[in-house]
Amino acid sequence: MIAFPVFAQSTSPTGKTAPVNPSATAPAKAATPDASSPAPSQGDLIDINTASAAELKALPGVGDAYSAKIIAGRPYKMKDQLVSRKIVPQATYDKIKEKIVAKQPKS
C-alpha cells in the first residue's frame, strides 16, 4: 500500500537524494501519534518486514542504527527474532513488541 524509497538514504541522510527527503519526514510525523497511543486499536502495527526506516525510527528506542539493522536482517518469521538474531537488545524489544508485527507474504 505504501512504498517509500527511504532505504537508499537510510545509511547517509546527507541530502544526496534531496527530492526524497520531504517524503522521508512525512512518514515519521504520521507514525508519531501511533507511537504515543497506548493500544494500537486500528491495527496500526508496524510490520518489521516492510516498514521504512522512518517508520521504524518512530518506534521508542529505535534510531538510525537499529532501523538499519532491522532492515538489513529481513525477512523475519517472528518479531522476537529481533532479539534472537541480536538485532536489538531485549530492553528495546520490550518497548516495541506491542507495536510491531512480522507479517508473512502470502504465497
Side-chain angles (χ1 to χ4, degrees), residues 13-33:
T14 57
K16 291 179 184 176
T17 56
V20 180
N21 283 340
S23 67
T25 56
K29 292 177 183 175
T32 303

Side-chain angles (χ1 to χ4, degrees), residues 29-87:
K29 292 177 183 175
T32 303
D34 185 40
S36 63
S37 63
S41 58
Q42 295 96 9
D44 288 356
L45 296 174
I46 295 179
D47 183 358
I48 58 174
N49 284 323
T50 60
S52 68
E55 290 171 315
L56 292 170
K57 286 190 278 187
L59 293 167
V62 177
D64 291 329
Y66 286 146
S67 65
K69 287 174 73 174
I70 291 169
I71 290 169
R74 289 175 178 166
Y76 301 98
K77 290 184 179 179
M78 298 183 309
K79 63 184 181 180
D80 63 359
Q81 286 183 315
L82 292 177
V83 175
S84 64
R85 292 185 185 179
K86 297 181 170 46
I87 306 290

